[in-house]
C-alpha cells in the first residue's frame, strides 16, 4: 500500500525509517515521503472531518490543491499532508473542520 511515485514531487526519495505519532499512536514511515503516503501505508485513510456535517476526508487530489488531506502537524493546523515530507518525531493529529491560522 506504499506510494512509490508521486505525480508532482519529482524527487521522491525515501530516506531512513522514522517514527511519528498519529493522535498519540506510534507509527512508522520513511523520512522524506509525504505524510499522506506514510499514513496510507499504515492503513489510515481518514485525515480530517468536515466542520458542518462531520464527514470523513482523506487523500483526494494528492497534489496540494484541495484541502481534503489537511491535518494538524506539530501543532500547526491545515497542513496539506499529501505534499509535506515526513520527519522523525512528527506529531500528527486528525483535524476537525478547517481551523483558523494562528497569527
Amino acid at each position: 500500500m506504499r506510494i512509490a511515485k508521486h505525480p508532482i514531487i519529482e524527487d521522491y526519495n525515501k530516506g531512513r525509517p522514522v517514527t511519528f505519532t498519529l493522535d498519540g499512536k506510534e507509527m512508522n514511515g520513511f523520512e522524506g515521503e509525504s505524510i499522506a503516503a506514510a499514513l496510507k501505508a499504515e492503513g489510515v485513510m481518514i485525515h480530517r472531518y468536515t466542520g458542518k456535517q462531520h464527514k470523513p476526508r482523506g487523500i483526494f487530489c494528492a497534489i496540494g490543491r484541495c484541502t481534503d488531506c489537511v491535518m494538524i502537524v506539530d501543532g500547526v493546523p491545515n497542513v496539506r499532508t499529501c505534499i509535506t515530507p515526513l520527519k522523525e518525531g512528527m506529531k500528527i493529529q486528525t483535524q476537525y473542520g478547517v481551523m483558523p491560522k494562528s497569527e
Side-chain angles (χ1 to χ4, degrees), residues 34-94:
S34 70
I35 294 170
L39 291 171
K40 182 172 177 16
E42 289 279 342
V44 176
M45 302 305 288
I46 297 171
H47 294 202
R48 72 176 186 97
Y49 291 89
T50 60
K52 290 183 182 178
Q53 296 182 357
H54 308 288
K55 292 187 177 184
R57 295 290 184 256
I59 300 171
F60 180 71
C61 76
I63 60 171
R65 300 292 292 162
C66 73
T67 59
D68 280 352
C69 72
V70 297
M71 300 182 87
I72 302 167
V73 178
D74 292 333
V76 178
N78 307 319
V79 174
R80 287 176 165 85
T81 60
C82 68
I83 59 170
T84 303
L86 183 66
K87 296 177 186 169
E88 175 71 44
M90 281 184 150
K91 290 180 175 57
I92 301 163
Q93 296 170 271
T94 302

